[in-house]
Amino acid sequence: QVQLVESGGGLVQYGGSLTLSCQASGTFFTINGMGWYRQAPGKERELVASVTSGGSTDYADAVKGRFTISRDNAMNTVYLQMNRLKPEDTAVYYCNAKGYLNYINPYDSWGQGTQVTVSS
């Protein structure tokens, strides 16, 4: 199984910055994609940013130019640097990892979520 532990959420003022971290642990063969999703009250969970094992990234339009996703493959950790935060960025942020437990069995694991609140 793959466990994801997130850290770095909190309360920040409009225009401020936060960095989220997520480390994967457990028994697995590969970690392919890692990413961050968020879910605001009354809304569906949405992709914020993702990064492949090779370093290719993808961002939601709402965060392009403000957020940066990065990954340390040696530490099985993914980061989300969030700058110029806005109140509409307020949500629970979830880490996600996809890969293979062995040669056959894939996994799709989620962290417990970390709250990010941006005050106006």
Side-chain angles (χ1 to χ4, degrees):
Q1 297 298 324
V2 179
Q3 293 81 44
L4 301 176
V5 177
E6 301 138 337
S7 61
L11 173 65
V12 64
Q13 289 188 333
Y14 178 90
S17 298
L18 280 175
T19 301
L20 305 182
S21 300
C22 171
Q23 185 170 38
S25 64
T27 303
F28 48 85
F29 182 49
T30 66
I31 303 178
N32 296 342
M34 298 188 81
W36 290 94
Y37 291 70
R38 67 186 181 187
Q39 187 167 18
K43 295 188 177 181
E44 294 187 354
R45 191 173 297 188
E46 62 178 2
L47 175 68
V48 176
S50 64
V51 59
T52 68
S53 57
S56 296
T57 58
D58 188 30
Y59 295 92
D61 287 343
V63 307
K64 283 180 180 177
R66 299 188 297 122
F67 291 11
T68 302
I69 190 169
S70 61
R71 178 171 171 170
D72 183 337
N73 289 330
M75 296 296 293
N76 297 325
T77 300
V78 63
Y79 305 94
L80 186 68
Q81 174 67 45
M82 304 184 291
N83 298 325
R84 305 202 315 270
L85 283 160
K86 306 175 182 180
E88 49 264 44
D89 294 318
T90 295
V92 177
Y93 284 70
Y94 295 91
C95 177
N96 175 263
K98 297 179 177 66
Y100 281 85
L101 297 174
N102 47 48
Y103 282 106
I104 299 172
N105 300 112
Y107 66 85
D108 185 349
S109 295
W110 294 88
Q112 79 282 0
T114 186
Q115 177 71 46
V116 172
T117 303
V118 184
S119 63
S120 57

